[in-house]
Structures are given as structure tokens and as C-alpha cells.
Amino acid sequence: MVAVDGLGWWGVPLAIFAGAIRVSTPYLLVSLGECITEKSGRINLGLEGVLIMGAMAGYGTSLATGSAWAGVLAAGLVGALLGLLHGLLCSLRRVNDIAIGISIMLFGTGLAFFLGKPLVQPQAPMLNAIPFGFWSSSPQIQSALQINPLFLIGIVLAVVLHYAFRYTRWGMQLRIVGDSADAALALGLRVLPTRILATVIGGFLAGVGGAFLSLYYPGSWNEGLSSGQGIIAVALVIFARWEPLRCLWASLLFGGAGALGPALQAMGITSGYYLFNAAPYVLTLGILIATGSPSRTLAGAPGELSLVRN
Amino acid sequence: MELTRRFLPLVEAVGIPVMALLVAMLLFAGFVAAVGQSPLEVFVLLYKGAFGSSFSWQNTLLRAAPLILTGLAVAIPAQAGMVIIGGEGALALGALTSAVAASALQGASPHWVQAGMLLSGALCGGVWIGLSGWLRQYRGVNETIGSLLLSYIAIALLNFFVEGPLKDPASLNKPSTAPIGDANMIGNLPGMDVHYGLLFGAIFALVTWVILKFTTVGFALKTVGGNPRAAQMAGLRVNYWIVGAAFAGGSAAGLAGAIEVAAVQGAANASVVAGYGYAGILVAFIARQNPFAVIPVAVLIGGINAAGGMLQRRLDMPDATVLVLQGIIFVVIIASETLNGRLRLIKFKPLSPVSAAISAKT
């Protein structure tokens, strides 16, 4: 929690800025992963479960090995495994990707609660942040500019993906598979393996996003750790119109909304605590309502995506 | 041959889920063995905790009562092709509204209070999920994501009101609304320790089943969900049907919340958010969205939930054990949908024109 008392009311925007960066990191990683998956023509609603499994696996591995980065890697691998499960099951005929996603959401959550039971008490090594605020003498600013490397990795990834989707062979193949399976087949592309791989990568990133939750902010493992961040990230990809760079801005916006409750609470305003904490859901829904339309498909949507073919 | 052919849909509808349940049990047995417990012992305890004694039966039925309704919250919109997963929130809002209704009706006769609670709870839940359907039709918001977001918002509203404006100052450890009063509580079914909510849920499910099966409503919903354009051509008002189906589903979940308050908790508090909404999704998918099948499946899943306590006490396994089992069942059930329509290929050869002509004569 950022100490805001010294700066008075100015502490609120500062706390929201600092909070936005911290809270947005899981959104950023999960939404970039989901962006890759959805570009291939599939939607993985199970990322909520993957996120929680990643948080649990990351925390447990960090505790066992003493290295938080080993935890991040383990979380990614667990996420990739769940992504593989989703990708394989969706490849069966007549199996609906939305339904599989819901089942993976419940399965991942249940499994993480089961395996994570012994992890509630002990304290695992945390990820370290990079102190970008070293130049300032104000402890508030120093604390606000503590930035986690995973956030920076997310920014780099967003830029790389932005160009990869447009200019690389791999990116173009992925988009063709996602836009029209028939066209992809005609070009001799392998549709199912591409989609499975895209879901595995999406699962990996969502797992890493989970590790950020348990190993940095809020930085502990408990059953209330994630409450819908995975689902919000899926909705965020729609808002970002399947563009990695817009995912970055949208994540920051959602991070700011998510930081509103804790920032006001730190100021001593506790009465509307639950309502402020619901801000990200209201924002997500508001954006979906404002940008949606019943008559046309969304601009930029991959053609094979079941989500937009109501 | 003709007879088997006619019953094939039923064989498929019952056989595939049963097979999937068995496969899921096997996978769960493997999981249990992997964490160092005896699968046999776990299954025996699961059975005992769910259906082994009259006490466990009552425990099971108590949990089945809300599950029937939250299962319907998924199954009814599914008739029109929607995947709604926001039952948990509709239940929470139904609970909150029913508590408000109870305090507004204080002084009226208990039957009026109860009727007011159940109706207002159902209405509020219906409006909430109906909103998901409305957003889908009029704003193009995907109903699965929309209903889940609305669900989180509803739970936040419940927590806000229960710990804020509507908090009973006397409820210290567990913030709650003012109690509805013992006289207004819904009682138990005759001869059982199970409240009337079970009956209400079963009646809701049966009435829904009858309406869908024996009136044109079911057909209209299928048309609307399957091919909206064709439905429009046939003169069906697609938007009304979609929003109506979502409303009906939501009212079931809202009713579940009102019953939890009126028969179990005695006030609205955070305890009503106990995962019934999410387990209801599983119930509906195992029941293949059939409102009648929702009843036995809700008893089964209620039984698994009820047995969780016994696993915890006897084997010291975490309470999430039953969540793992439910998760495995869910994944296998969804994956088993791939078998739909394939049993036919395994068991029956297509009739040749000659033998078809012969069997048509006899």
C-alpha cells in the first residue's frame, strides 16, 4: 500500500497512478495472451481458472525453491498445460470453446484451492521491483515508481506482438487461421495445431499474470486472490479490438479503476469500499455497452471467433 | 429395431452423461491416489456423506434445493441458445431484495411476508439476468461475459448494503440485514428436516419442463436460438423471446436467493454467496439443459457438496476436494458432447431402402 498521508489529497492521483501500474500488470499479461488465442479464432474463458492456478503454482514453487523467478516460470508452465487441455478439447468435434472455458474456469479454481491449502500461511520469496524513483527525495514518489519487471516485459511484449501480427510470417498465418479456416486450409496452413499453440501461449501468459498476483501485488496466496481479473481481461481484448498496443492502454485504464478502491481506503474513506472495488466490472460492462452494436460485427474481430458470431 | 431407433435420443441423452460421470470418477480416483489417499475410502465416504443415512439425505436435499433453481437459471436461457453464467449474482440480489421486502412487510401475516419475499426475489433476479439478454439483443454484448460481470456487480451490491445502509447494528460478527423474524420463516416439509424450498424448486422445474415440452414455447425458443432470422420470418418477436428466457432463468436464481433468506439464513448476508450459482452451471450442463433432468442432477451435485464435510472430518482433506471433483466432472461432461450423434454410427447401420420399406409395412 502506498503511503499517501504526506501529500494530502494529491496522494489520491499518485496512488491511482502507482496502483494502475501494479494492478494493470496481470490484466496486461492475460489480455496479451488472450489476444493471441483469439487471433487464432478461439476464445478461452478459462483464463480466470488459469490465473488462479498460476498464482498458486508460482507461490508454491517460489516457496519450495526460494526463487521467485522460478515461481514465475512454473506458473507459466502450469498455465501452458491448462491452455493445452483447452486447445486439445476444443479440437474435438461439436465441443464448444465457451463451454470448455467455463469448465476450465471451475476446474482450475477448485484444483488451485485444493493444492493451495498448505500455502495460505507460509511466506514465499517475492519478486523485486526496480526503483525508478531513486532521483526523488519524496518517499511517496519513490514508492509510486517501484515498477515490477513483469510490467516492463508486458510493454515490450505488446510492442513486439503489434509488429509480429502485422509483419511476420507467423503473425500473418495466425491471423489467416483466425479469420477463415477455409482460406487457411486452401493455403496449406495447419489450422488445429496453430490454434492449439496459440491457446498454449495464451495459457502461459495468463499463468505468469497469476504469479504476479501472488508474488508481487497483493503478494500472498489466498482463495480471494483473483475475483474476475481473468474474465475482465477477456472482455478487455474485445474493447481493445484485438490490438496488442490497445491492450496496453486498456490495461492501464482498468488498473486505474482497480486502484481506486484501495487508494480511497488508504485515505480513510471506507464506506463505499465494496462499490469502489466493483469499479472495474462496471467500467468493463460500460465499455462493452458503449462500443457494442447489435447489427454489425465488431471491427477487427477475427472472423472465426464464436464470441462475435451471435 | 424401430423401437431402439425411437429411444435412441433418450439412450444418448442419459447414456453419454452417465458414461462421462464414470470417466470423471475414474480420473478423480487417479487424482485422489496421486495425493496419497485411498480412492476406495474416498468414494465410500462420498456415498455415505451424500446418501448413506437419513441425516445425509436431508443434508443433500437441503443443498439440492438452491441447485435446482440455479441450474434452471442456466438451462432456461440455454433453450434460446444463450450461455448465462451469472446465477450467483442473481441469487445474491434475490436474497437482498427479499430481505428488504420482509422488512417492508413487517406486521403483515407470515404468508403475505413470505409471498412478498419470494416474488420480489424472483422479480429482481429476473430483471438482473434479463438485463444480460437485453444487452445481448440491443447492444451486442456477449451474454456469457455480460452476465458474469453483472454477477460480480450484484455481489458487490449485496456486500455494500449488508455492511452499509441495511446493516442490522445487532449483527456484529456477521454483518446482516435485520432478521425477517422467526414467524415469517418458511418451515420444513412434513416429516423432514428439509424446507419447502425444495418443493418450490421441483415445481418450478416441472412446470418449466411441461411448458417447454407440451406447448409451442419450447419450439419458439429453439427457433429463436437456432436461427433468429428464420424466427423473425416466422413472425416471432426474437428480442422478446430472448429477454423473456433470460428473465425466466434469472427469476429462478433470484427465487433461490429469497428461499435461502426465508428458509435458512433468516436475513440477507454474505453467506448466501456460497457457490450455488456456479455449481448450477454444472448441474445444467450435466442435465443437458433439460429442466426435468435438472432435478436428479441437482440432488447428485448437492450430495457431492454435502459429502465434502465428511471428507474433511474423516480424512482431513481440504474442503476444495469436492470442487476438484466437480471441475473434473465438468470438463469431461463438456468434452463428451463430441460423442453426440456418434453412438448411432457405432450401433446402427443405416437401413437399406429395401429393409426400410419392409419395416415400414410391418
Side-chain angles (χ1 to χ4, degrees):
Chain A
M1 194 62 57
V2 183
V4 284
D5 353 63
L7 292 174
W9 277 102
W10 280 106
V12 175
L14 189 64
I16 290 179
F17 166 76
I21 288 182
R22 270 185 320 222
V23 179
S24 67
T25 307
Y27 290 136
L28 179 58
L29 293 168
V30 181
S31 64
L32 288 177
E34 180 71 6
C35 197
I36 300 174
T37 307
E38 290 189 18
K39 279 272 189 200
S40 82
R42 281 215 184 122
I43 180 164
N44 185 357
L45 276 188
L47 290 186
E48 177 71 20
V50 176
L51 189 82
I52 299 175
M53 269 302 280
M56 189 280 299
Y59 199 80
T61 309
S62 169
L63 190 67
T65 62
S67 157
W69 285 101
V72 171
L73 186 66
L77 292 178
V78 166
L81 272 180
L82 282 174
L84 181 65
L85 181 67
H86 183 282
L88 288 176
L89 291 177
C90 281
S91 303
L92 296 170
R93 270 202 302 173
R94 292 172 217 258
V95 173
N96 172 276
D97 53 353
I98 289 187
I100 278 285
I102 299 169
S103 72
I104 297 236
M105 187 193 308
L106 296 190
F107 173 65
T109 311
L111 193 61
F113 288 0
F114 181 95
L115 297 173
K117 204 97 265 181
L119 302 176
V120 176
Q121 285 295 334
Q123 180 60 43
M126 292 285 118
L127 287 170
N128 289 318
I130 305 171
F132 282 102
F134 58 86
W135 46 269
S136 165
S137 59
S138 154
Q140 283 86 10
I141 290 175
Q142 281 185 359
S143 143
L145 289 178
Q146 293 269 340
I147 291 174
N148 188 283
L150 282 177
F151 179 70
L152 303 177
I153 291 176
I155 294 180
V156 172
L157 195 62
V159 175
V160 168
L161 281 177
H162 174 75
Y163 287 101
F165 283 147
R166 286 190 183 190
Y167 302 115
T168 67
R169 182 181 193 83
W170 177 86
M172 289 184 200
Q173 288 180 350
L174 184 76
R175 277 166 45 207
I176 293 170
V177 166
D179 272 329
S180 165
D182 292 338
L185 280 174
L187 287 171
L189 300 177
R190 303 194 319 151
V191 174
L192 287 185
T194 308
R195 288 187 175 162
I196 293 172
L197 184 64
T199 318
V200 168
I201 297 173
F204 184 92
L205 288 174
V208 172
F212 180 90
L213 285 178
S214 63
L215 292 177
Y216 186 71
Y217 181 80
S220 67
W221 162 253
N222 62 67
E223 299 190 347
L225 192 58
S226 168
S227 48
Q229 276 105 323
I231 279 293
I232 291 181
V234 173
L236 191 153
V237 178
I238 304 172
F239 168 51
R241 293 284 183 274
W242 299 272
E243 282 284 338
L245 283 181
R246 287 197 203 143
C247 283
L248 173 61
W249 309 129
S251 298
L252 283 170
L253 178 66
F254 280 73
L260 188 63
L264 288 172
Q265 202 185 18
M267 291 295 298
I269 299 171
T270 52
S271 60
Y273 172 72
Y274 286 103
L275 292 187
F276 290 123
N277 274 5
Y281 313 123
V282 178
L283 179 69
T284 311
L285 199 61
I287 283 172
L288 288 178
I289 291 170
T291 57
S293 157
S295 50
R296 57 182 161 79
T297 47
L298 300 172
E304 293 273 320
L305 206 60
S306 60
L307 183 75
V308 291
R309 284 187 308 184
N310 265 331
Chain B
M1 192 77 180
E2 275 299 301
L3 203 65
T4 19
R5 195 170 277 276
R6 184 177 307 165
F7 280 105
L8 194 70
L10 188 68
V11 171
E12 218 176 56
V14 177
I16 294 180
V18 167
M19 234 157 63
L21 280 175
L22 290 178
V23 171
M25 289 288 181
L26 269 179
L27 289 173
F28 180 66
F31 173 79
V32 167
V35 298
Q37 299 275 3
S38 145
L40 191 67
E41 205 172 347
V42 168
F43 280 125
V44 169
L45 282 179
L46 269 178
Y47 175 77
K48 276 190 186 162
F51 309 111
S53 65
S54 66
F55 174 77
S56 35
W57 259 108
Q58 280 169 354
N59 196 357
T60 295
L61 291 177
L62 270 179
R63 289 160 196 264
L67 286 179
I68 295 176
L69 289 166
T70 52
L72 290 175
V74 180
I76 298 176
Q79 309 298 323
M82 282 182 285
V83 184
I84 296 270
I85 57 176
E88 190 91 14
L91 186 151
L93 270 196
L96 182 66
T97 329
S98 70
V100 173
S103 70
L105 292 170
Q106 279 302 329
S109 82
H111 283 294
W112 281 110
V113 177
Q114 287 163 1
M117 288 179 73
L118 298 186
L119 278 179
S120 63
L123 188 70
C124 194
V127 168
W128 203 247
I129 299 293
L131 193 58
S132 314
W134 188 87
L135 287 174
R136 168 193 150 118
Q137 289 312 106
Y138 291 90
R139 295 306 311 165
V141 177
N142 173 276
E143 79 281 359
T144 312
I145 293 174
S147 66
L148 193 59
L149 290 172
L150 280 172
S151 172
Y152 287 126
I153 295 172
I155 294 168
L157 283 175
L158 172 77
N159 284 326
F160 170 71
F161 279 107
V162 164
E163 298 198 11
L166 295 179
K167 184 179 169 187
D168 177 19
S171 61
L172 290 175
N173 318 340
K174 187 171 164 189
S176 304
T177 58
I180 63 168
D182 286 341
N184 296 325
M185 294 285 285
I186 290 176
N188 283 341
L189 291 162
M192 293 169 86
D193 250 347
V194 181
H195 56 74
Y196 268 97
L198 180 68
L199 188 67
F200 297 155
I203 291 175
F204 202 132
L206 283 174
V207 169
T208 309
W209 181 71
V210 168
I211 291 178
L212 289 178
K213 185 139 178 97
F214 298 107
T215 71
T216 51
V217 171
F219 184 66
L221 285 177
K222 279 215 166 60
T223 316
V224 164
N227 191 341
R229 202 154 293 166
Q232 201 105 47
M233 297 289 238
L236 289 169
R237 294 207 277 187
V238 175
N239 291 349
Y240 284 37
W241 283 99
I242 293 273
V243 176
F247 176 88
S251 68
L255 183 63
I259 291 174
E260 282 301 292
V261 171
V264 182
Q265 304 286 345
N269 54 44
S271 305
V272 298
V273 184
Y276 286 124
Y278 298 118
I281 309 170
L282 174 60
V283 168
F285 272 95
I286 301 179
R288 303 189 138 211
Q289 320 295 356
N290 179 322
F292 181 73
V294 158
I295 302 174
V297 174
V299 173
L300 178 74
I301 299 298
I304 291 178
N305 276 339
M310 193 172 264
L311 290 181
Q312 214 175 348
R313 282 193 304 276
R314 298 276 185 85
L315 298 179
D316 199 27
M317 292 179 85
D319 48 358
T321 311
V322 293
L323 292 181
V324 174
L325 175 57
Q326 289 179 3
I328 294 176
I329 293 178
F330 205 157
V331 173
V332 177
I333 282 280
I334 303 284
S336 76
E337 310 237 320
T338 190
L339 292 174
N340 277 353
R342 291 206 195 172
L343 291 184
R344 222 168 288 242
L345 298 177
I346 303 165
K347 285 189 184 159
F348 301 96
K349 288 177 191 151
L351 293 170
S352 70
V354 178
S355 59
I358 294 169
S359 62
K361 270 180 196 166
T362 48

